[in-house]
Amino acid sequence: MRCLLAALLFLGSSLGADLPRFGDESVNRFVAEADAAARRGAPLTPEFWSWVDRHPEVRAGLLFARHPMPAVHAANLDLLRRSVTPQQADRYAHLLLAVAVNGDQPLRAEAEQAPASWPEPVTRVAAWMRASGTSYLQAMGDAAAALGAAGVPAAEAARDRGFWTKVAHASGAYPPRLAASVPAHIRWLVDRLDAPAPEGGKQPWPAFPMAKAPWPLLTWFRDVPPERERDWVWDYYWGKLPGQSKSGIIGYGRYSWDYDRVPAVKHKASAWHPSSLPRIWEDGGVCGRLSTMGDTFRRTLGIPARGAGQPGHRAFVSYGWDAKRGLWTFGVGQSIAGIEVTTSSPELAQPAEFLRNGAVNCQALVGAMNLGLERWTRARILAWHAQELPVAARDRARRDALALNPYDLGLWRQSAEAAPDVPALARVLAEMDALLVNPNGRLEEAERLSASTDFATLGGGDPKARSDVGNSVARVAGDALLRQGVERLLAAGGSRAELRSMVRAEIGRRAALGLPHGSLVTVQLLTRLDLLADGAAPVLASVESGVRAADALKGKARERALSDLALRLAVLREADPAQVEAWSSRIIASLAGPSRWTLDKDGKPVPDKLLADLHGLRAHALRKLGPPAKGKIALALAQFEEGRPRPAAVPASPSR
C-alpha cells in the first residue's frame, strides 16, 4: 500500500501552479480536458483565470468540486473575488472557493429588501391599528373582530397564508427578516478576521483559523445571517450590548415554549423579528430555535457550523482546529444521540454518495483533511475519472483513490456493491477497516438524552470536538455496508446460511478490533437471517425468551433491552402473519393488566413500551391476514387495553 501511495503522489507537489499529474496518462488527459472545458464554459476575464492559476489548490478545487464544472461556480468565485481586496482574495481564497461551489445557483448578490408596499387588505388592517391605537398583540387576541373593524372580509384574509405576518410588518410590530447579500457578508467577515480584537476584548480572535483552513471545510459559509443580526452577534461576542452580563460564544438559551404558546411573547412589539437571534436569546425556544442560534452564531463569527437532525431533535455540527495536535476536528453540539443517526451534510458534491445527508460524511471529511488536501483532491480526481471508465476498469481506479483517501465512503459503497459474492464482500469490509481503524483510537460513545433535554443544565451542549475519527467512521460505514451488501446478495439469490455465517464472522472480527457492530447488525440483521434460514418457529421461541428476559429488567438496562427487542419484533413483520398473530396474542395475554399502564403528566393513559410494541406487531399481522381476521381486531384491542385507566368522571354542575 505504501508503494502504491508513493506512486500516486510522486508527481503531485513539485509542479507549482500546474494541475495535479498522475502516472496514468489517461488521467492526465482527463484533467487537461476538464480544465479546457471549464475555460470554454465560463468565458470570464483573463485576469480571473490568471488569479485562479496563481492558486493551484483553488484551481483544482474549482475544476473538481463537481465534474464537469458548472460555469456558475466560476462566476460565483469571480464575484466573491471582486468583492474583497486583492490581498484578502489571496489570503482567503479557500473561503471564496468554498462559498462559490456550494450548490449550482448564482450567489445572492444583493440584500433582500422589504416590500415597497403591502397588499391592500393588509394596509387597511395596519391603518386601523394605528388609528385606533390597537397593538398587534391586541389584534391577534381577537383577529375576527380586528378584521371586521378594519372592513376586511375574513375570507379575503384567509386566502393569504402570510396575512397576519404581513400585518405585523406593515403596522411596525416587528420588522421582516431580510436575507443579506452573500458577497457583502463575506467582505464583512474577512474585514473582521483581518482586524485585531476590539480594545479591551478578552475573547480569542479569530475564533477559527480561517486563513489556513482547507476549502472543503468552509462550504457552510454560503448560508449568511441578516445584516443586523451579524452586528448583534459581533457585539454580543465582545460584550458590547447594553446591560450584557456575559460575552463569548452563546452556549445555549432559555428552554421554553413561550415563543409559540404565550401570546404576550409571540405577538409582542419588538425591534427584531420573532425568529431572529436576538429574539431567540430573549424569548427562548426548544431544540430547533436554540440549536439554530448555536450554529448561526458560530458561523457568523467564522466558525464552520451547520444544523443537524437527530430523531425527534435538532442539534448542530461544527468543525474546529486542535492547535496542540495540529489537526482538524468535528463535533456535534446539543446532541442527544450518536453519529449513526445524526443527519447533516458537508455540502459537497460527491463522485459516489454514501448515506445521503448522513453527518458521518462530515466526520469522514475531517479525517480526510487531516491526511491532507492534496491527497483528498487527487483521490477525488481519480473518483470522477472512474465514472468515465468501462465497468471492468473501475475497481482499480477506486482502489487507487481509496489508497489516497480511505475516508471516501461513497467509494467504499461502490466497492461493496461490486463484490460478486459473500467472500468478496467480506474482503471489502476488512480492507476498509485496515485503512480506517486505529487500534489505539477512541470509539465515539454518544450520550443518549431526551429530545426535551435542557442543555443549559448540562453546560450548554457545546460540540465535543474530535480529530481521531477513523474508528467512529469505520463503525458507521461498516454497519451500513454490511447491511446493504447482505440485502443485495439476498436479492441476487445468495445462500442464506452462508450470509448468516459471514455476518456472524464479521461480528466476531469487529469485536476483536474493539469496534463492535451496532444492534442493527447484531440484533436485527441476524434475526432476519435466522428467519430466512430456519423459519418462524425457532425465531419466535428465541424472541419470546427475549421478551421474558427484558421484562425482568429495570431502569436503563430494561430500556436498552426493549430497544433491541423492538428491532427483532420489526423483523417478525416479515414472518407468516397467522403464526405471528397467534404468538403475539398469547404473549400479550400473559402480560396485559393494570401494571402495564401509567398516566402521563397530563393524565393521559400511556401503555408500557413492551406491551405497545407487541400490540403493534399483532395489529400488523391482523391487517396482513385481511378480511378473515376482521373479527379479531376488536378482541386484540380489548386485550391490549385490559387494565387501562379510565378518565375520572366529571362531577355534574349543581343546578341553580
Side-chain angles (χ1 to χ4, degrees):
M1 184 62 73
R2 290 180 180 176
C3 294
L4 172 61
L5 182 57
L8 291 168
L9 285 171
F10 84 104
L11 288 170
S13 59
S14 61
L15 296 174
D18 289 342
L19 288 167
R21 289 187 58 81
F22 297 81
D24 184 340
E25 280 304 315
S26 70
V27 182
N28 293 331
R29 287 193 298 273
F30 170 76
V31 172
E33 290 165 4
D35 186 42
R39 293 169 192 258
R40 289 193 303 270
L44 298 171
T45 64
E47 190 260 342
F48 166 75
W49 287 111
S50 175
W51 178 83
V52 169
D53 290 342
R54 293 198 306 273
H55 298 274
E57 293 173 334
V58 170
R59 183 182 179 190
L62 178 62
L63 293 181
F64 296 106
R66 186 185 298 273
H67 177 73
M69 183 202 81
V72 70
H73 285 184
N76 285 343
L77 181 57
D78 192 34
L79 175 64
L80 291 169
R81 180 185 65 90
R82 290 183 285 105
S83 72
V84 299
T85 68
Q87 296 78 14
Q88 289 172 331
D90 290 338
R91 188 177 306 117
Y92 299 107
H94 280 239
L95 170 64
L96 306 186
L97 172 65
V99 174
V101 302
N102 182 351
D104 290 331
Q105 298 299 317
L107 295 174
R108 185 175 55 251
E110 302 294 334
E112 189 178 6
Q113 301 296 317
S117 61
W118 301 99
E120 194 272 337
V122 169
T123 302
R124 266 191 282 162
V125 174
W128 168 78
M129 289 170 61
R130 285 190 291 269
S132 63
T134 302
S135 70
Y136 184 63
L137 173 62
Q138 291 170 326
M140 293 303 294
D142 193 342
L147 291 172
V152 175
E156 192 172 357
R159 284 194 292 270
D160 184 345
R161 293 183 62 185
F163 180 84
W164 286 106
T165 298
K166 293 172 185 174
V167 168
H169 300 159
S171 66
Y174 55 78
R177 195 169 186 237
L178 302 172
S181 156
V182 176
H185 175 76
I186 296 300
R187 175 63 184 264
W188 178 92
L189 177 59
V190 299
D191 281 347
R192 276 150 185 76
L193 291 171
D194 279 347
E199 184 176 354
K202 298 179 181 179
Q203 307 300 333
W205 191 253
F208 175 84
M210 183 75 76
K212 67 189 285 185
W215 72 265
L217 298 183
L218 306 178
T219 57
W220 297 335
F221 288 104
R222 180 163 178 155
D223 186 4
V224 304
E227 293 177 6
R228 291 178 64 224
E229 290 180 45
R230 74 187 181 201
D231 295 332
W232 180 88
V233 167
W234 181 257
D235 289 342
Y236 183 101
Y237 184 70
W238 296 109
K240 295 183 176 299
L241 295 175
Q244 186 176 347
S245 60
K246 57 182 178 180
S247 58
I249 293 175
I250 287 180
Y252 203 62
R254 181 170 62 90
Y255 191 91
S256 169
W257 283 98
D258 289 357
Y259 76 96
D260 186 56
R261 298 178 180 177
V262 177
V265 174
K266 184 176 182 179
H267 304 310
K268 69 182 179 184
S270 172
W272 298 97
H273 188 279
S275 296
S276 66
L277 298 187
R279 284 288 299 273
I280 297 174
W281 180 245
E282 179 181 330
D283 301 339
V286 293
C287 63
R289 283 167 63 91
L290 297 179
S291 62
T292 296
M293 181 168 63
D295 71 73
T296 306
F297 193 98
R298 287 164 173 79
R299 202 167 51 251
T300 302
L301 293 170
I303 302 170
R306 185 184 190 274
Q310 293 179 335
H313 179 68
R314 188 188 189 277
F316 69 90
V317 293
S318 179
Y319 300 131
W321 171 249
D322 183 339
K324 291 183 179 179
R325 302 178 64 195
L327 295 171
W328 303 105
T329 65
F330 170 82
V332 185
Q334 299 172 23
S335 174
I336 67 167
I339 189 69
E340 70 278 2
V341 294
T342 301
T343 59
S344 197
S345 169
E347 296 186 10
L348 283 166
Q350 300 297 335
E353 194 173 68
F354 175 82
L355 293 182
R356 179 187 292 271
N357 208 33
V360 68
N361 294 300
C362 307
Q363 195 176 43
L365 181 63
V366 160
M369 291 302 104
N370 285 332
L371 293 179
L373 177 61
E374 180 188 8
R375 285 178 61 168
W376 181 86
T377 300
R378 294 172 69 78
R380 192 173 181 83
I381 291 172
L382 291 173
W384 286 123
H385 178 244
Q387 295 186 348
E388 302 188 2
L389 295 176
V391 173
R394 291 177 188 173
D395 184 61
R396 172 59 187 273
R398 281 194 297 265
R399 287 176 176 274
D400 287 350
L402 287 168
L404 288 164
N405 177 21
Y407 288 96
D408 191 325
L409 301 183
L411 292 184
W412 285 118
R413 178 187 62 77
Q414 288 187 336
S415 295
E417 288 177 348
D421 51 33
V422 171
L425 176 60
R427 282 195 298 273
V428 170
L429 295 171
E431 288 169 2
M432 183 183 69
D433 288 348
L435 289 174
L436 288 181
V437 174
N438 175 5
N440 300 315
R442 292 186 297 123
L443 182 64
E444 181 184 79
E445 296 292 339
E447 189 174 7
R448 310 289 172 170
L449 301 172
S450 163
S452 60
T453 298
D454 183 353
F455 285 93
T457 65
L458 300 176
D462 285 339
K464 296 178 180 178
R466 291 183 52 207
S467 58
D468 178 17
V469 299
N471 289 9
S472 296
V473 170
R475 184 194 61 170
V476 177
D479 275 18
L481 294 181
L482 179 56
R483 297 198 313 273
Q484 292 169 3
V486 167
E487 293 298 335
R488 179 178 57 82
L489 292 174
L490 280 172
S495 165
R496 298 166 176 183
E498 184 184 13
L499 282 165
R500 179 170 62 179
S501 295
M502 186 271 281
V503 170
R504 287 173 174 168
E506 274 296 300
I507 290 172
R509 184 183 67 81
R510 274 295 188 90
L513 289 175
L515 197 69
H517 276 291
S519 55
L520 289 177
V521 169
T522 60
V523 177
Q524 190 170 55
L525 183 59
L526 266 187
T527 301
R528 183 160 189 266
L529 290 170
D530 286 341
L531 180 66
L532 293 172
D534 302 334
V539 173
L540 289 171
S542 174
V543 174
E544 181 171 354
S545 296
V547 168
R548 305 302 180 190
D551 199 37
L553 298 173
K554 304 291 183 184
K556 293 291 185 182
R558 189 174 195 273
E559 289 181 17
R560 289 191 293 270
L562 291 181
S563 178
D564 285 350
L565 186 61
L567 296 176
R568 302 187 76 186
L569 295 177
V571 172
L572 291 181
R573 295 186 172 218
E574 303 175 25
D576 174 61
Q579 286 182 274
V580 171
E581 196 281 325
W583 177 86
S584 56
S585 173
R586 179 173 57 81
I587 302 296
I588 290 172
S590 70
L591 295 177
S595 64
R596 298 290 169 178
W597 292 86
T598 56
L599 297 176
D600 66 11
K601 62 182 180 180
D602 297 321
K604 180 181 177 181
V606 178
D608 171 70
K609 176 174 170 52
L610 176 58
L611 181 66
D613 287 349
L614 286 166
H615 175 69
L617 175 64
R618 186 183 184 189
H620 180 268
L622 287 169
R623 287 194 297 271
K624 285 181 71 176
L625 288 170
K630 186 175 181 181
K632 289 187 175 182
I633 293 177
L635 176 63
L637 183 61
Q639 190 178 40
F640 167 61
E641 293 192 336
E642 182 182 338
R644 173 178 176 165
R646 303 300 175 188
V650 179
S653 301
S655 57
R656 295 188 177 182

